[in-house]
């Protein structure tokens, strides 16, 4: 009798994720973006590359402090959720070569430095609104509030005005 175990089934499949930390208001939002490529980053904002064992917090030269702080906070939250087995690497635009050798090697799997100059945007993409306040205000226009009531053992749902 030979017992065969598929190695892939014994290891959890890990998805790599790129997040855009968005919003000048408190708290900024984390928005997953695709594809994971320099063309999705810009020098005005902060992004997180989640490789599961390492979370890179990459901040553009002109990224605001609230977004940087939120990205670091979220990276710490990821680490806590993973039982402390996740490293956090903060990388400022232009300082990528200052990372440790292993950190840089892993970072370049998704963000090869040779592609940075040709793909990195100086300005936010058109889908990335400059007017965070307007975007946040408009997103609230689609929300509806309902009241759940349990009168006499029956549930009633009524819209709130």
């Amino acid at each position: 009798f030979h017992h065969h175990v598929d190695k892939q089934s014994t290891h959890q499949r890990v998805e790599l994720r790129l997040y855009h930390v968005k919003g000048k208001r408190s708290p900024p939002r984390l928005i997953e973006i695709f594809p994971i490529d320099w063309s999705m980053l810009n020098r005005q904002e902060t992004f997180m590359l989640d490789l599961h064992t390492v979370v890179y917090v990459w901040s553009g030269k002109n990224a605001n402090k609230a977004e940087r702080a939120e990205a670091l906070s979220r990276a710490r939250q990821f680490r806590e959720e993973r039982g402390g087995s996740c490293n956090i690497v903060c990388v400022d635009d232009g300082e990528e070569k200052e990372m440790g050798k292993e950190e840089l090697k892993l970072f370049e799997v998704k963000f090869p430095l040779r592609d940075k100059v040709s793909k990195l945007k100086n300005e936010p993409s058109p889908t990335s609104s400059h007017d965070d306040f307007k975007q946040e205000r408009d997103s609230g226009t689609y929300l509806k509030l309902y009241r759940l009531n349990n009168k006499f053992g029956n549930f009633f749902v009524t819209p709130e005005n």
Side-chain angles (χ1 to χ4, degrees):
F1 174 85
H2 293 281
H3 182 69
H4 175 72
V5 177
D6 182 9
K7 288 183 181 179
Q8 280 187 327
S9 66
T10 61
H11 299 289
Q12 181 181 9
R13 185 160 188 260
V14 176
E15 300 249 348
L16 309 180
R17 298 181 185 274
L18 178 63
Y19 297 99
H20 179 191
V21 183
K22 184 75 179 127
K24 293 181 174 91
R25 301 248 179 243
S26 181
R29 300 173 311 283
L30 215 59
I31 302 167
E32 188 171 355
I33 56 176
F34 303 97
I36 299 175
D37 186 71
W38 279 113
S39 64
M40 301 305 291
L41 277 58
N42 66 70
R43 291 195 156 100
Q44 310 302 314
E45 297 167 307
T46 299
F47 299 84
M48 293 174 55
L49 174 62
D50 182 5
L51 303 179
H52 197 72
T53 57
V54 179
V55 175
Y56 292 89
V57 175
W58 186 89
S59 296
K61 287 183 179 183
N62 302 318
N64 78 51
K65 291 178 184 179
E67 290 174 351
R68 288 177 189 227
E70 181 64 18
L72 188 55
S73 173
R74 294 291 181 101
R76 288 179 180 142
Q77 183 180 8
F78 287 177
R79 181 174 56 198
E80 286 175 23
E81 291 170 358
R82 296 169 188 163
S85 64
C86 170
N87 291 327
I88 299 170
V89 179
C90 294
V91 186
D92 288 330
D93 185 9
E95 303 294 322
E96 293 87 0
K97 290 182 181 177
E98 303 301 318
M99 282 189 272
K101 189 176 183 178
E102 290 301 312
E103 294 168 344
L104 181 58
K105 182 179 177 182
L106 195 54
F107 184 78
E108 283 198 292
V109 167
K110 286 297 176 182
F111 293 108
L113 294 183
R114 69 180 180 277
D115 295 344
K116 181 180 176 186
V117 173
S118 64
K119 292 186 175 185
L120 180 66
K121 298 174 187 155
N122 285 319
E123 296 295 323
S125 66
T127 59
S128 173
S129 171
H130 271 303
D131 190 356
D132 290 328
F133 178 74
K134 181 183 181 309
Q135 185 177 356
E136 289 171 6
R137 183 192 68 218
D138 291 349
S139 68
T141 61
Y142 300 106
L143 297 177
K144 283 198 170 209
L145 192 59
Y146 291 89
R147 179 180 302 271
L148 178 62
N149 197 341
N150 185 9
K151 283 188 177 176
F152 312 110
N154 295 318
F155 285 101
F156 296 97
V157 178
T158 54
E160 281 290 309
N161 292 333

